[in-house]
Structure formats: structure tokens, C-alpha cells
Amino acid sequence: MSSALLLQSLILGILLGGLYALLAAGLTLYFGVMRVVMIAHSAFLILAGYLAWFFTVTTGWDPLISLVITVPVFFGLGVAVQRLLMTRLKPASLTMMSVLLTFAIALVIEGMLGFTFTGVQRRIKLDYGAASIELFGAQVAVVKLVAFGLAVLALGALWLVLKKTSFGQALRATIQHKEAAELVGVDTAKVASYGFGLGLATAAVGGTALALDATIYPSLHWHWIGPLFAIIVVGGLGSIPGAAIAAMLLGITQSLLQVPLGTTWAQTVFYLALFVTLIVRPQGFFGGRLAQRF
Amino acid sequence: MESEHLLELVDIEAGYGRAALVLRGLTVRVPPATIVCLVGPNGAGKSTVLKVASGMLVPRSGRVVVQGKDVAGDGPQQMLRHGLAHVLQGHSVFPEMTVAENIKLGGFTVGDKAVLNERIERVKTVFPIVAERWNDLAGLLSGGQQKQVEFARSLMISPKVVLLDEPSMGLDPKTTATVFEQVVRMRDHGTAVLLVEQNARRALETADVGCVLDLGRVHISGPARELLEDPELSRLYLGGRPAA
Ligand SMILES: Nc1ncnc2c1ncn2[C@@H]1O[C@H](COP(=O)(O)OP(=O)(O)OP(=O)(O)O)[C@@H](O)[C@H]1O
Ligand SMILES: [Mg+2]
């Protein structure tokens, strides 16, 4: 591999890793706050992608503007899903049953997308869709930079919410010790539903970022859910910084492997990393003291 | 309604899920400025009593009375507002947060910034470790240091009644002494303490009133001194005769 190609792959890997970090952030958040395994997260990503596409087709405006609508709507949707559905699950079997429940939600979303928009592949047409700029001597597509920028902004905002707001303090306290959080006066039920809303809000941004540079179709979410779960297990379930580090490392590795192995084989890096993690360090590599052991 | 007690648990029946009842008609009364100590064998339901008092567990029947008002059925948030603070058995710091964040979360329900800062300064003086490790992650502290942070955190609401579940577990003698000193000092300032202790003899020496829990009821209760001197009790629950 020439050094120019290596550099190009590395840069693309970093951009990809940033996007993965955003896509996985919500997933690890649901688990951290509620011990919920949210199979439908990637279906919501694709839903957001479709809404961005539909928004651009009907208005002719930039898909990023659709975030003004989709982020609050997804937040509300998350609160509703948590309050109306998740709270019906028995605490003792919550994690297991949440897999079934969210699997069903994913099927419903996929079905509705197929029904509404048909199974035809869609792609957002952008003025800057084919543009690229030179970065450290490598050619980088503008859409990838925009997607990365969106991921950085959204993760930065998430970090601010978690670290600097009183809701964020309550949410982190709930993740770290639920009973103690209740005993200092945190309403953990409310935190759970807002936490779920926050997770889906990241899906709105992530799905839009994803759709900038991808062809979307209703069943695309199955392609994403495996890699995303691999990321949060490697990073340590429930840890957002852990997921971000794992996403970056796996994104870079995948990108570097694409040149010699091709895209299909490079994808296996997620599953390899997942197996190695489960064998060597089931609590994940970057989750710290909180990470759950499977 | 006269209320000579800060906290009363009357005829409490409580348990977990469909399992058999843990508390079967338990009654405990905590007067102001008094340390009441619960002793009893493992699994007797001591922690369960504290959970009922702090609203973590809603009793099937019975009354939970705070300053003359029946508040049975209230959750932890309301109980906190009634002035009850609960320090859990085992470790309950937020490990991935700094000591500072832990202490500030203790005042989560305190709206007034000035009051909050004043209380922070106070717990820092009472527990120097809190000031020393202010910016460290709580999970990195030793077990005994974490316990002190938990205790300090519970004081942030300026509680009327503190529920302490085995505070000396895993503490060295010096730190245990600090915690007991603090308990006594709080009592002297009018706060009531409902204390559960593994080290029953030590606890009864500090406490004003002792209650022996067995089979989900208060088996014997009375002035702590008298319980200590009761030879039968010593044999059954305090592990042998008093040293004296
Ligand atoms: N969360 C729970 N779910 C189900 N059963 C529980 C739960 N917590 C306690 N129990 C049961 O309730 C009974 C009393 O437990 P509790 O923790 O109150 O005892 P304890 O007197 O505090 O014991 P120890 O001295 O060991 O702390 C025990 O039989 C225990 O198995
Ligand atoms: Mg106990």
C-alpha cells in the first residue's frame, strides 16, 4: 500500500469512526440507563435518513435543515416509547424482553418505510454531493466531512448535556448507582424516559448524517445493527466514551483493511473484535468500573 | 396531633414481591435527638426497615409517620423532602463521578445555591477526606473513604433523621470512631439517627435506645445501656459476655 493511499484510508477511517461513534452513542445510553438492548436503534437511524431524504425531495432544501424537526420529534418519540412500552416489561427480565420488544419495533418501522416509500433505493441529491477537497494531500468527499462535523457537534452537545446540566448529572448518577440516585432525590423513572428520548435524538442526527453519503432502503438497518452492537460491547456496555473510542478504532481499522481486503471482508473486523472481546474481556475494553459483564 | 417522635414505623408488614413477608408487625419509634440502634442476625430485616423508612420499599400495611404525619406510600423523593436521609449498606458512591459531583448530588433537591455552598463547606470540615480528594473520581477512593463520602453526601439535605445501614462495615477503628463521633454530634444537634450495625456492642454503647430484631418484629427494646447489660441478650445477639 502506498503511503498516499494509507493516509487517505486513515483520514477516511477517522471520519467513519466519528460517524460510528455518534450512531453507537444512543445504543450504549439506553443500555446504561435502563439495561435495555435496543435492536430498533438502527431502524430509527434509517427512519431519520428517510425523513431527511423526503424533506429534501419535497422542499428542495438541504437535508440538514430537517434536523430542526426530526431531533425534537425523535426525542418525543423516545419518551413515548419508553413510557408506553418499555415500562411494561418486568424489571427482572427487562434486558431479555427488551430484545424481543425492540426487534418488533424495528420490524414495524421497516414495514412502514416499505409501505410508504416502497423498497426502491433512495439517495439524497446534494449540490455538493460529488465535491471533494484536498486534506493533507488526500482527496476527501465533502459529504463525509459534513457527516463527521455533524457527529462531532452532536457528540459535543451530548457531552455538554451529560456533564454540565442537572439532568445530565441525574442521568449519570442513575447509570452509576440507581438506588443511590433515588435516595438523593433523582426521579429515575423520568430520567429513564428522557434518557431514551436523548438516545433517539442522537439517532435523528446520526441517521441524517448517514443518509448524506449512503443509498438507503427499508431493510438497511439490519446491516447496521451488528457493527453498532459490536462497538458498544467492545467499548464496554453503557459507557459513551468507551463506545466513542471503540468506534474510532474499529472505523480506522475497517477503513485500512478495505484496501487489501475489499469492503465485504473489511466489515468482518467488527465481528472479530466482538468475539475477541467476549473471550478476552467480556466487560469491554474502555468502559471503566461501570461496564457490565455479559 | 402531638408528635413526640420524629419518625415512627407502626405495625409494619413488608416484603419483596410474592415472597414471604420480611417484616411482620414491626414497630420502631425514633424520638428527636436520639440514636436508635437496630440489631439482629443476618437476614432479620434490618436493612428492610430502613428501606421502608426511606420510601424505597412501600409497606403492605402499617403506618410510616414523620413528625406526626402518616406518609406511608411516599417514594424516596418525598421522604427526602420530609427530611429522611438513607445511607445504604455496602458501597453507593457514584464511582465514575468526582467526589465533588457526589457531594453536590447529595444536594440535588436543594435549590438555594448559598445554602448548598454553606453545607458543602460544613461537610468538608467534618470529613477532611472530602476536601482532600475533592476532584478525584469517587471510585478510586478506598472503601472507608467512599463510606465517608456517602455519609457526607447524605448530610447535604440537613436531614432530620439519618438512616445508617452498617456504617462501620470495612472501616478502620479510627474512621469508625470518626463516623460514630459524627453520629453523636448530629444527635447533640437534634438530629435523630436510626442505626443498623454489625458491631452491635459498639453500636449499643453509642446509642440511646436499642431494638433487637428477630423474625420480622422487634423482639426486645429498651435503653441501650440496659440491653448491653442483659446477660441473656449478650449471649444471643452480642456474641458473648460484656468485656467488663
Ligand atoms: N431486593 C430483595 N429482593 C428479595 N428479597 C430480599 C431483597 N432484599 C432483602 N431480601 C430478603 O429479605 C430478608 C431480610 O433482608 P435484609 O437485607 O433486610 O436483612 P438484614 O437484617 O439487613 O441482613 P444483613 O445483616 O445481612 O444486612 C432476607 O431474607 C432477604 O433474602
Ligand atoms: Mg442489611
Side-chain angles (χ1 to χ4, degrees):
Chain A
M1 207 193 300
S2 74
S3 66
L5 196 54
L6 194 71
L7 181 73
Q8 172 108 11
S9 299
L10 193 64
I11 290 174
L12 289 181
I14 291 170
L15 298 182
L16 198 60
L19 180 61
Y20 287 168
L22 174 59
L23 301 188
L27 207 53
T28 208
L29 188 64
Y30 311 122
F31 190 85
V33 185
M34 283 160 291
R35 301 283 174 262
V36 160
V37 176
M38 172 64 166
I39 301 287
H41 187 66
S42 57
F44 278 104
L45 291 173
I46 305 308
L47 174 63
Y50 263 97
L51 292 176
W53 165 79
F54 185 68
F55 176 83
T56 302
V57 168
T58 44
T59 63
W61 296 345
D62 192 278
L64 295 190
I65 299 169
S66 73
L67 290 174
V68 177
I69 305 163
T70 53
V71 168
V73 167
F74 270 49
F75 179 84
L77 213 56
V79 173
V81 166
Q82 201 281 333
R83 290 228 173 121
L84 300 178
L85 298 175
M86 294 300 160
T87 50
R88 317 248 153 184
L89 301 176
K90 278 208 195 99
S93 54
L94 177 70
T95 303
M96 284 306 286
M97 296 318 273
S98 70
V99 175
L100 284 183
L101 178 58
T102 58
F103 186 85
I105 295 173
L107 289 179
V108 169
I109 293 173
E110 182 184 339
M112 283 189 343
L113 286 176
F115 180 75
T116 315
F117 300 116
T118 75
V120 175
Q121 302 203 345
R122 310 284 183 183
R123 193 174 181 101
I124 299 176
K125 284 191 186 62
L126 291 166
D127 303 334
Y128 50 92
S132 67
I133 59 167
E134 205 180 291
L135 206 69
F136 307 113
Q139 286 296 318
V140 181
V142 170
V143 277
K144 287 200 188 338
L145 282 173
V146 173
F148 181 77
L150 213 51
V152 170
L153 280 179
L155 286 172
L158 185 62
W159 185 86
L160 280 179
V161 168
L162 290 180
K163 282 274 184 185
K164 302 287 171 193
T165 68
S166 116
F167 165 68
Q169 292 285 328
L171 189 129
R172 289 196 302 140
T174 305
I175 292 178
Q176 296 180 27
H177 200 304
K178 189 165 174 236
E179 286 184 333
E182 270 165 14
L183 288 175
V184 298
V186 171
D187 183 344
T188 54
K190 202 155 127 192
V191 163
S193 59
Y194 289 179
F196 214 92
L198 200 58
L200 272 198
T202 68
V205 186
T208 305
L210 182 71
L212 291 180
D213 188 31
T215 302
I216 54 174
Y217 45 92
S219 62
L220 178 62
H221 65 108
W222 298 121
H223 167 90
W224 278 97
I225 198 66
L228 293 183
F229 266 106
I231 287 170
I232 70 167
V233 171
V234 172
L237 285 169
S239 165
I240 294 174
I245 297 170
M248 202 37 103
L249 289 177
L250 289 171
I252 292 170
T253 313
Q254 184 195 12
S255 179
L256 290 176
L257 289 178
Q258 263 171 13
V259 183
L261 299 180
T263 44
T264 308
W265 281 103
Q267 179 92 5
T268 56
V269 65
F270 291 103
Y271 302 102
L272 271 176
L274 178 62
F275 294 145
V276 170
T277 304
L278 291 178
I279 293 165
V280 179
R281 206 177 146 82
Q283 71 271 42
F285 284 96
F286 313 107
R289 272 162 296 281
L290 299 177
Q292 277 271 312
R293 233 189 146 85
F294 248 152
Chain B
M1 191 185 195
E2 53 74 81
S3 57
E4 53 182 303
H5 297 104
L6 274 179
L7 170 68
E8 294 172 88
L9 304 176
V10 186
D11 290 329
I12 296 292
E13 293 198 329
Y16 300 91
R18 251 163 272 165
L21 285 174
V22 175
L23 304 180
R24 306 156 181 271
L26 168 131
T27 299
V28 178
R29 293 194 163 86
V30 186
T34 308
I35 302 170
V36 176
C37 174
L38 290 176
V39 298
N42 289 133
K46 304 181 297 292
S47 297
T48 306
V49 174
L50 299 194
K51 285 184 199 167
V52 168
S54 68
M56 287 175 73
L57 185 68
V58 174
R60 301 250 177 101
S61 66
R63 290 184 297 136
V64 179
V65 183
V66 181
Q67 292 187 296
K69 208 171 122 216
D70 190 350
V71 294
D74 279 8
Q77 278 184 303
Q78 284 108 321
M79 289 301 188
L80 206 64
R81 234 163 265 141
H82 301 320
L84 272 73
H86 185 173
V87 181
L88 291 166
Q89 183 172 359
H91 287 302
S92 63
V93 290
F94 303 115
E96 297 278 299
M97 290 179 160
T98 62
V99 171
E101 287 176 305
N102 269 274
I103 299 296
K104 285 176 189 159
L105 269 165
F108 188 71
T109 53
V110 179
D112 191 331
K113 261 257 162 26
V115 173
L116 202 63
N117 287 333
E118 183 194 303
R119 287 182 190 165
I120 289 174
E121 289 315 312
R122 204 175 59 205
V123 299
K124 275 179 170 174
T125 21
V126 176
F127 295 100
I129 196 72
V130 168
E132 274 164 43
R133 307 295 297 270
W134 189 244
N135 290 313
D136 291 343
L137 289 184
L140 298 178
L141 271 55
S142 80
Q145 293 169 335
Q146 290 187 21
K147 206 71 218 169
Q148 295 182 64
V149 172
E150 289 164 29
F151 196 22
R153 187 177 67 192
S154 78
L155 299 183
M156 290 296 292
I157 62 160
S158 261
K160 296 198 182 82
V161 184
V162 184
L163 311 162
L164 285 179
D165 203 340
E166 310 211 355
S168 77
M169 194 155 56
L171 298 192
D172 63 37
K174 188 163 164 275
T175 313
T176 305
T178 309
V179 168
F180 275 99
E181 250 168 52
Q182 185 55 27
V183 169
V184 169
R185 202 181 317 164
M186 279 185 338
R187 189 253 334 256
D188 295 344
H189 280 94
T191 307
V193 180
L194 183 54
L195 177 70
V196 170
E197 255 298 331
Q198 198 72 256
N199 187 345
R201 187 173 297 283
R202 174 70 204 261
L204 285 176
E205 280 164 11
T206 312
D208 305 300
V209 178
C211 299
V212 178
L213 219 68
D214 212 349
L215 301 171
R217 289 165 159 275
V218 173
H219 196 56
I220 307 159
S221 74
R225 291 271 149 206
E226 283 175 25
L227 295 192
L228 269 174
E229 281 154 17
D230 187 323
E232 176 77 355
L233 219 62
S234 276
R235 193 175 57 76
L236 284 174
Y237 299 108
L238 306 180
R241 305 186 52 76

